[in-house]
Amino acid sequence: MSITSAGRPFRAPTTLSMAQRKATGIFTVVLLLTCLCLYIELNSVDFCIFCYKSEVVSFSLPFYNKSDAFLLLPDIDCQEIPPFLVILVTTEHWQLEARTAIRQSWGKERIIRDKRVVSFFLLGTLVKQNKKAEANIISESLEYKDIIQKNFIDSYNNLTLKTLMGIDWVHHFCPQSSFVMKTDTDMFINTFYLTELLVKKNRITNFFTGFIKSEEYPIRFRFNKWYTSKIEYPGKRYPPFCSGTGYVFSTDIANQIYKISPSIPYFKLEDVYIGMCLDKLRIQLEELHTKQIFFPEKVKFSVCRFKKIVTCHHVRPYELLLYWNTLLSSKDEECLGK
């Protein structure tokens, strides 16, 4: 032992024993696991310690401002030659490659069984002003005349606004059409088969179809893409709805949704929101065929299979062109058996 300048005895620091280090390590691991479990548990019941709560509270319209002017409109006169089917495609600014592939395939205006089929793209505006991106969209609109746009932030949580914008456009500019389809840019749509089935159905009022989801529940796990808090949707089960990957409805329903939407609380999942509107209108979802023809997932391509489906999800632009051109070149070939 030595003496310090202050007169106090100096003791050399001692190291922890192996047992003490082991006990400290175990305690640290247990503490971390406890904190993690507590964090997950609190998040599962809509409580978050470490994050800012930015829930969208249920409220009635006007969350979609009908009085806002359209920024971009397509060049079409629905009175002169009423379309049989109007396809509304939700898209984002950066998805030019996908829009180009759609314009060259199923989105191209054509006459099918003497029925006019047209497609338009739905866009919002960028979060941050980007003059070059905005100029590119205006240029694209002038070239193809197929973009519908209003002034709201273009985001996943605003898909409901984007879909309502498309319904707004149909209500005001194309009520003469017979059917409307809402779909996305990563979809393959067999417009030939869809038109054929709609003609055979011979129903132009109160008809809504797609991949029907009748037993869906809100996902309460915060880290899921489709997470919904009890503040956003307090109910235990969603009303029946069709997958937002592609649903089809008679134009009279577009008009009804447009009129009733101010009384429906806002909800970020657009397909569920449309289901909420239909539930209020007491409109039943119906199958278009006895076999499954709407696929919200990816389907392995084969000519015979794709001749008898309406939608296929998760299709890249180059795949879309390949599938479409292969289907067109083999249109007259017969498919034997199942």
Side-chain angles (χ1 to χ4, degrees):
M1 179 184 300
S2 61
I3 304 299
T4 65
S5 59
R8 291 190 300 269
F10 172 77
R11 297 180 184 277
T14 57
T15 57
L16 293 174
S17 68
M18 182 67 70
Q20 287 175 315
R21 287 201 300 270
K22 187 175 181 181
T24 302
I26 292 173
F27 175 77
T28 302
V29 171
V30 170
L31 181 63
L32 288 173
L33 287 174
T34 302
C35 290
L36 179 61
C37 291
L38 179 62
Y39 176 71
I40 293 173
E41 177 65 23
L42 289 174
N43 274 279
S44 70
V45 294
D46 298 330
F47 181 79
C48 182
I49 301 175
F50 307 108
C51 55
Y52 170 70
K53 195 77 168 179
S54 58
E55 303 295 357
V56 179
V57 180
S58 265
F59 61 97
S60 295
L61 289 179
F63 67 88
Y64 171 76
N65 195 339
K66 296 178 181 179
S67 63
D68 280 353
F70 286 90
L71 301 179
L72 294 173
L73 285 169
D75 184 12
I76 182 174
D77 185 348
C78 290
Q79 286 186 330
E80 186 177 352
I81 309 176
F84 176 73
L85 174 63
V86 174
I87 304 178
L88 302 174
V89 188
T90 60
T91 186
E92 295 182 57
H93 290 69
W94 58 272
Q95 295 176 321
L96 176 59
E97 184 184 4
R99 290 194 294 275
T100 300
I102 289 171
R103 290 181 180 117
Q104 294 173 359
S105 57
W106 56 261
K108 183 177 181 180
E109 180 175 345
R110 53 174 42 88
I111 304 297
I112 302 173
R113 291 176 168 261
D114 298 324
K115 306 293 184 183
R116 186 185 185 195
V117 179
V118 295
S119 301
F120 304 110
F121 296 99
L122 307 178
L123 267 176
T125 53
L126 295 170
V127 177
K128 294 183 179 179
Q129 189 177 26
N130 185 326
K131 291 184 177 180
K132 183 178 179 182
E134 291 167 0
N136 288 339
I137 289 298
I138 293 172
S139 176
E140 186 180 341
S141 176
L142 290 171
E143 181 177 357
Y144 297 105
K145 300 175 174 60
D146 60 0
I147 292 177
I148 301 171
Q149 184 185 41
K150 270 197 173 189
N151 187 24
F152 59 86
I153 299 302
D154 206 326
S155 67
Y156 182 79
N157 283 349
N158 278 346
L159 272 175
T160 298
L161 298 181
K162 193 176 284 187
T163 302
L164 284 175
M165 177 184 68
I167 289 173
D168 184 349
W169 180 85
V170 170
H171 174 79
H172 283 102
F173 296 97
C174 209
Q176 299 86 0
S177 59
S178 298
F179 292 96
V180 180
M181 179 179 198
K182 180 269 163 185
T183 190
D184 301 324
T185 48
D186 59 348
M187 298 293 296
F188 175 92
I189 309 295
N190 186 338
T191 50
F192 292 99
Y193 193 47
L194 174 58
T195 303
E196 175 188 330
L197 292 175
L198 289 173
V199 170
K200 284 182 179 179
K201 191 70 175 181
N202 197 26
R203 279 269 306 282
I204 57 172
T205 59
N206 262 32
F207 182 68
F208 198 106
T209 191
F211 182 80
I212 299 173
K213 296 188 171 188
S214 56
E215 295 289 335
E216 293 292 315
Y217 299 85
I219 295 173
R220 302 302 190 191
F221 184 60
R222 180 175 293 275
F223 301 106
N224 190 284
K225 179 181 179 180
W226 298 284
Y227 162 76
T228 302
S229 72
K230 291 181 180 178
I231 297 174
E232 292 173 295
Y233 191 88
K236 292 184 178 180
R237 188 170 68 180
Y238 293 135
F241 66 95
C242 288
S243 167
T245 53
Y247 49 78
V248 182
F249 50 99
S250 53
T251 301
D252 67 309
I253 289 182
N255 299 326
Q256 293 180 64
I257 291 175
Y258 175 82
K259 292 174 182 176
I260 202 174
S261 58
S263 66
I264 306 298
Y266 172 81
F267 193 61
K268 64 187 179 185
L269 303 181
E270 55 87 15
D271 47 7
V272 176
Y273 177 83
I274 295 300
M276 292 162 65
C277 292
L278 298 178
D279 186 57
K280 186 76 176 285
L281 291 166
R282 297 185 180 180
I283 293 173
Q284 299 294 317
L285 306 180
E286 301 180 47
E287 299 287 359
L288 185 56
H289 197 284
T290 54
K291 295 181 180 179
Q292 183 180 352
I293 54 173
F294 292 91
F295 289 87
E297 70 277 357
K298 189 160 188 173
V299 177
K300 186 176 180 181
F301 180 79
S302 74
V303 170
C304 290
R305 188 169 196 187
F306 270 57
K307 280 185 178 182
K308 297 298 180 181
I309 70 171
V310 171
T311 68
C312 170
H313 196 195
H314 300 303
V315 179
R316 297 186 180 94
Y318 78 90
E319 291 176 315
L320 175 56
L321 293 173
L322 177 63
Y323 295 172
W324 184 260
N325 292 330
T326 304
L327 204 63
L328 283 185
S329 63
S330 60
K331 199 165 66 170
D332 297 327
E333 291 181 16
E334 291 293 329
C335 290
L336 303 176
K338 294 183 180 180

